[in-house]
Amino acid sequence: MVTTDPVMHQPLTPDYYHYEWAPIDSVYRSSDGGAVVTWRDGEQLKCHPLWLRENAPGPGGIDPRSKENDLNIVDLDLETRVGKAFVENGALVVHFEPEGRRASFHPGWLRHVAEGEHRPFALLPEPQVWRAAELTEPPTHDGPSVLASDEALADWLDDLLRYGLARLINLPIGQETVELVGRRIGVLRDSNFGVTWHVTVDIDPNSTANTNVELPAHSDLPSRETPPGFQLLHCQENTVSGGRSTMTDGLAVVNHLELNEPDVLELLTSREWTFFNRDDSQDHRWTGPIIDKGDGRVPWTFRAFHPVRGFPAMPEEEITGAYFAMQRLGYVANSDEFQIRYQFAPGDLVAFDNHRVLHGRESFDATAGVRRLRGTYLDSDEVYSRVRVLRRHLTSTIPSEMLLTTEEDNNA
Ligand code: OGA
Ligand code: ZN
């Protein structure tokens, strides 16, 4: 039975991380049949017996080939408990009763659980909420450096997650640039607009975006069950007058409403609307509140784009109030206090969180000059995953070839 990593000669872990050896100081059995481990600095982890058994290396636990769990839950003996537990060379060693199975656990892996590093948002930067006075322009990075270096990519994405937007400058203005940058992050999200799409003034537009009119603070594709998490917009050409870009931090708007207009926030989070995105060959629709705060564990999602808002999905007597609340959001989100405005120059690319940040543009005069952007979407998962992996590789003392060899096999 293979229960140690063949390269590292350490207990297997249910993932491809290479943990620092963080020797455990002591262990005792808890009254529920689990184990409590303690490190020298006082950090502790209480291990439930069933969770520990499920993560034991070997059959009915962690398969050394996939590093995933092969336990069929119906085969788990719910009476499982830790019969004996001790520390061996800093690792936790446990005998499970009544099975009689011995298993050892990597102390660095246990330590990362003790420190909460396994949680979805643990390795990502904390959002920093901003108003126009605090962030006058998008945080700006050098585009060619981000294309060439993982360190520069990590710095840019760090700002993107912290502020909800981050800009690259000095990029080539070719049509393929947005795709090149997007693929540095991860898999692009296709839609009926294509993997990448243009924003220009079209003769026969299938979206308000492709006209010269103002786009007030909005989020894209609220007509989808899950709107795209992130958007990249790259400026290829811009010789028109007007058409400055705008951005508003939705989290700052929420904080403001919570404090000053709680009734409005309540209406925005509870009254639902149906959004449509339809043309000859498409019929997308979804119903949701303008501000969706989910279950509180994931960031808020804004659904706001008047051209694709179809119907109020609420009882008749609530409709006037819901329109009032939406109008209040319009005033606040497009006000000088919350919204920044800046020029979009050829070679610039702005990435933003389409769930959190409301973007837009001023109207422009399309009779003289051309304004040509190219965009793409990514799911949030792609951005989050890239940030975690970059952090793992850039902070690890393990040679990166060793980390990268396992990457392709890990399709969990
Ligand atoms: C869009 C959009 C911004 C711009 O296409 O949805 O917001 O600057 N465009 O044209
Ligand atoms: Zn848009």
Side-chain angles (χ1 to χ4, degrees):
M1 184 166 79
V2 182
T3 56
T4 53
D5 184 308
V7 180
M8 306 297 280
H9 305 295
Q10 293 174 351
L12 277 174
T13 59
D15 53 39
Y16 287 86
Y17 272 51
H18 290 266
Y19 295 94
E20 297 285 330
W21 195 253
I24 290 164
D25 199 42
S26 63
V27 58
Y28 66 88
R29 284 184 300 150
S30 53
S31 54
D32 66 355
V36 178
V37 297
T38 308
W39 284 266
R40 191 152 300 151
D41 62 1
E43 183 76 73
Q44 264 195 347
L45 179 67
K46 185 174 186 310
C47 307
H48 191 281
L50 299 181
W51 172 76
L52 207 55
R53 174 60 190 86
E54 191 184 6
N55 283 286
I62 303 306
D63 183 328
R65 295 165 302 177
S66 65
K67 297 208 174 201
E68 290 187 327
N69 203 292
D70 70 1
L71 172 74
N72 182 335
I73 192 63
V74 301
D75 296 332
L76 178 65
D77 179 356
L78 297 180
E79 299 301 318
T80 297
R81 62 191 188 282
V82 171
K84 205 159 89 176
F86 55 93
V87 178
E88 191 175 81
N89 299 326
L92 169 65
V93 182
V94 158
H95 289 254
F96 290 105
E97 305 290 351
E99 191 184 4
R101 162 110 161 233
R102 180 188 198 272
S104 46
F105 295 87
H106 194 301
W109 176 73
L110 291 167
R111 176 86 193 195
H112 108 289
V113 179
E115 292 177 357
E117 292 222 339
H118 59 299
R119 297 195 184 117
F121 289 91
L123 301 177
L124 306 179
E126 279 283 312
Q128 194 160 322
V129 180
W130 55 268
R131 294 181 184 209
E134 290 128 19
L135 192 88
T136 49
E137 295 218 354
T140 301
H141 296 248
D142 181 55
S145 305
V146 165
L147 284 174
S149 134
D150 280 357
E151 280 84 358
L153 176 64
D155 286 348
W156 177 54
L157 295 179
D158 202 71
D159 270 351
L160 175 57
L161 294 191
R162 210 176 286 287
Y163 299 102
L165 81 166
R167 175 167 61 187
L168 298 181
I169 54 172
N170 303 327
L171 283 165
I173 57 168
Q175 177 163 320
E176 65 292 343
T177 296
V178 73
E179 185 167 345
L180 271 180
V181 175
R183 292 198 192 283
R184 284 286 283 147
I185 303 173
V187 176
L188 306 183
R189 175 162 158 178
D190 205 350
S191 73
N192 55 308
F193 296 104
V195 174
T196 69
W197 29 266
H198 67 278
V199 183
T200 48
V201 178
D202 288 354
I203 309 293
D204 182 19
N206 68 347
S207 149
T208 310
N210 288 330
T211 67
N212 67 329
V213 307
E214 177 197 12
L215 295 176
H218 70 279
S219 61
D220 278 15
L221 304 198
S223 51
R224 307 304 155 94
E225 179 183 8
T226 305
F230 285 82
Q231 180 171 165
L232 309 186
L233 272 179
H234 173 232
C235 179
Q236 294 184 259
E237 192 174 356
N238 190 1
T239 52
V240 300
S241 61
R244 281 188 305 170
S245 299
T246 73
M247 292 281 172
T248 304
D249 187 357
L251 295 180
V253 172
V254 164
N255 288 351
H256 171 84
L257 294 176
E258 213 158 32
L259 209 62
N260 301 289
E261 302 183 59
D263 297 350
V264 166
L265 185 59
E266 163 61 20
L267 291 170
L268 291 169
T269 53
S270 61
R271 302 295 185 262
E272 299 205 328
W273 299 81
T274 299
F275 296 87
F276 289 105
N277 171 212
R278 301 192 273 203
D279 64 17
D280 276 353
S281 56
Q282 309 290 329
D283 188 340
H284 291 283
R285 44 180 100 177
W286 194 253
T287 300
I290 301 289
I291 303 178
D292 191 344
K293 60 176 172 178
D295 61 4
R297 291 180 306 171
V298 295
W300 305 52
T301 297
F302 282 74
R303 288 179 186 272
F305 199 13
H306 61 278
V308 298
R309 188 175 58 246
F311 299 106
M314 64 191 83
E316 188 72 18
E317 63 276 14
E318 295 178 354
I319 295 176
T320 306
Y323 270 103
F324 167 76
M326 211 160 40
Q327 186 175 69
R328 286 302 309 149
L329 174 67
Y331 277 121
V332 175
N334 293 286
S335 70
D336 288 346
E337 191 179 346
F338 290 93
Q339 190 171 54
I340 59 170
R341 289 163 189 268
Y342 54 91
Q343 292 293 345
F344 210 177
D348 290 3
L349 180 150
V350 177
F352 56 92
D353 182 336
N354 184 56
H355 290 186
R356 164 183 169 183
V357 164
L358 298 164
H359 67 289
R361 66 150 189 252
E362 297 173 336
S363 63
F364 56 91
D365 177 1
T367 53
V370 176
R371 185 176 185 275
R372 199 150 48 93
L373 314 181
R374 196 141 194 103
T376 193
Y377 298 120
L378 294 109
D379 284 328
S380 304
D381 309 88
E382 296 296 324
V383 182
Y384 297 161
S385 167
R386 176 58 62 219
V387 169
R388 294 186 196 107
V389 171
L390 283 170
R391 183 177 153 147
R392 169 158 50 118
H393 289 186
L394 296 173
T395 58
S396 176
T397 49
I398 311 287
S400 61
E401 313 84 70
M402 259 170 82
L403 294 166
L404 289 168
T405 47
T406 53
E407 198 64 32
E408 283 187 352
D409 305 330
N410 183 10
N411 56 2

